[in-house]
Amino acid sequence: MDTIIAYVTDNEEDNIKIYEQAKSVLRSGGLVAFPTETVYGLGADALTEEAALKIYAAKGRPSDNPLIVHIANVDALYELAEQVDERALKLAEHFWPGPLTMILKKKSIVPDSITGGLDTVAIRMPSHPVARKLIEMAGVYVAAPSANTSGKPSPTRAKHVIHDMQGRIDMIIADDTVDIGVESTIVDISGEIPMILRPGYVTKAQLENVLGEVEIDPAIMGSLAEGVTPKAPGMKYRHYAPEAQLTLVESRNGAEKVVEYINKMTREHQDKGKRIGVMAPKETAGMYVADVVIPVGSRDDEALAARDLYAALREFDECKVDYIYAESVSTKDVGLAVMNRLIKAAGHTIIDVED
Ligand code: AMP
Ligand code: MG
């Protein structure tokens, strides 16, 4: 399949042509990758089953992993979901458009195949201008998971989408203004107490300000809850993973011991002819002896770490390292989302240097 790659520019007339083309692809049941404020999405008409099913084939995604439906106005909630209560409207008012996905009881017009057979549907109104324009102009609800091959880090740059999807989908809209860098926060409000199923840019504290008590799925930090099945089906798969084995290293007493441990492991591997990659905040990046060191964020800027996380994981693949070590980050705000993705990318291999 030939994939149209269209670059958004400052020329609005040219951009309109891109949206027209994307509209005709979506309306004829095709797939369009597009930027959002979180990561790139891989979109199809959500209410046309055959179209949405192509997403699973293009990504190699397991069929029990449901898709998020993207909308352009709040009224769409009433068409897709049952019981749109006060909580849903409050969340929409405070966080939409933006990086928050709500889980609600679904209406029957939403095909079972896009919800993995669940009786709930995930809905989000993105804020990225390209995503908004695309959904508005296409006039359809857009089912869209992240636009990566299943299991790989989500794409935050056009080149990542092109790498994973060229030849597999109809069109890629390229615009490298994806600035959050990790997927949306998912909050399930289909039950009595709202529950965060996936951490993202919108934090638990922010949700509690609006909703009162909010729980957090204990499976989110993976290894901390061995044997607990996550409530967002997608969270149970190994995910976000680079080719090389990733080890997450943490310490309760500052970075010094982490640096020491990683440098020791690096030398051992290098003696055996292996190449090592290290991901660390800018404060400590200069202290590593690894072959490839990628600074990601800084100690006091979790948002920056989120923005550059996936690009760094993919860069290690390009540099062909054999092992990757990453410093764990603070989990105060969006750092919780970063750690959740890192733990999954590491396949739960976490070393506490204090142990
Ligand atoms: P992605 O867009 O690739 O980040 O994947 C969407 C995420 O939303 C996956 O982790 C899904 O398991 C989760 N999800 C989508 N719909 C539902 C739902 N109805 N209930 C729980 N989780 C959902
Ligand atoms: Mg994904």
Side-chain angles (χ1 to χ4, degrees):
M1 178 190 283
D2 279 338
T3 302
I4 303 160
I5 302 176
Y7 292 86
V8 172
T9 64
D10 292 338
N11 183 326
E12 271 318 302
E13 263 168 50
D14 288 348
N15 294 344
I16 295 292
K17 288 188 202 131
I18 296 175
Y19 297 122
E20 291 288 357
Q21 201 167 19
K23 169 183 178 175
S24 80
V25 171
L26 289 175
R27 288 198 157 242
S28 56
L31 300 183
V32 177
F34 60 97
T36 82
E37 69 277 21
T38 58
V39 301
Y40 274 85
L42 176 56
D45 174 358
L47 301 186
T48 305
E49 189 157 27
E50 312 86 84
L53 286 176
K54 288 183 192 164
I55 290 175
Y56 289 89
K59 284 180 56 93
R61 182 175 176 105
S63 61
D64 68 346
N65 190 1
L67 309 176
I68 295 171
V69 181
H70 292 72
I71 62 174
N73 63 69
V74 178
D75 291 341
L77 270 178
Y78 296 95
E79 290 186 41
L80 299 167
E82 302 277 5
Q83 299 162 13
V84 178
D85 60 14
E86 190 72 10
R87 299 176 304 174
L89 297 177
K90 272 193 186 162
L91 287 178
E93 189 195 327
H94 281 87
F95 300 107
W96 280 0
L100 180 75
T101 297
M102 295 182 215
I103 310 277
L104 291 158
K105 287 268 183 290
K106 83 174 188 75
K107 281 203 165 147
S108 57
I109 103 170
V110 180
D112 289 331
S113 50
I114 76 153
T115 66
L118 299 172
D119 64 355
T120 51
V121 59
I123 306 175
R124 176 164 106 84
M125 189 198 293
S127 64
H128 194 288
V130 173
R132 285 176 69 75
K133 194 85 184 164
L134 174 70
I135 302 165
E136 267 165 24
M137 277 191 59
V140 295
Y141 304 128
V142 177
S146 50
N148 51 289
T149 304
S150 201
K152 290 282 128 204
S154 299
T156 50
R157 314 275 193 268
K159 66 174 185 179
H160 305 155
V161 186
I162 293 168
H163 178 270
D164 283 15
M165 292 298 154
Q166 190 165 31
R168 306 180 69 84
I169 64 174
D170 301 279
M171 183 170 181
I172 296 169
I173 303 179
D175 180 22
D176 280 341
T177 52
V178 170
D179 56 6
I180 291 178
V182 291
E183 302 83 345
S184 58
T185 304
I186 301 180
V187 62
D188 186 347
I189 50 166
S190 67
E192 205 146 294
I193 298 176
M195 183 181 277
I196 297 172
L197 307 188
R198 176 173 75 183
Y201 191 74
V202 175
T203 63
K204 181 169 186 269
Q206 287 174 314
L207 290 171
E208 281 179 332
N209 275 338
V210 174
L211 293 177
E213 186 191 0
V214 173
E215 289 181 346
I216 192 154
D217 183 354
I220 274 176
M221 295 315 268
S223 66
L224 301 180
E226 210 58 66
V228 182
T229 309
K231 293 187 176 57
M235 299 299 278
K236 71 174 178 278
Y237 296 105
R238 178 153 191 253
H239 228 128
Y240 320 117
E243 302 286 336
Q245 192 199 307
L246 170 70
T247 301
L248 196 53
V249 184
E250 60 186 18
S251 158
R252 284 178 296 275
N253 301 315
E256 207 173 302
K257 287 206 162 154
V258 172
V259 175
E260 209 175 281
Y261 173 85
I262 293 177
N263 280 340
K264 180 174 95 92
M265 295 308 292
T266 299
R267 290 198 185 89
E268 282 177 22
H269 286 305
Q270 284 172 337
D271 286 346
K272 294 179 191 140
K274 302 293 185 194
R275 278 166 59 76
I276 306 303
V278 167
M279 192 168 109
K282 71 170 196 277
E283 290 85 351
T284 52
M287 300 175 188
Y288 288 100
V289 299
D291 302 86
V292 181
V293 180
I294 304 183
V296 172
S298 72
R299 296 218 159 266
D300 52 11
D301 194 342
E302 295 177 12
L304 208 56
R307 196 192 67 189
D308 293 337
L309 171 71
Y310 289 137
L313 292 177
R314 282 180 179 255
E315 204 176 322
F316 287 123
D317 283 350
E318 278 169 36
C319 297
K320 303 236 174 304
V321 298
D322 300 292
Y323 295 96
I324 305 167
Y325 289 89
E327 275 187 39
S328 69
V329 302
S330 144
T331 57
K332 202 161 54 76
D333 298 317
V334 65
L336 182 66
V338 174
M339 274 301 276
N340 165 262
R341 305 319 190 263
L342 275 173
I343 286 172
K344 283 170 171 298
H348 304 289
T349 316
I350 307 166
I351 305 282
D352 184 338
V353 293
E354 245 61 62
D355 284 350

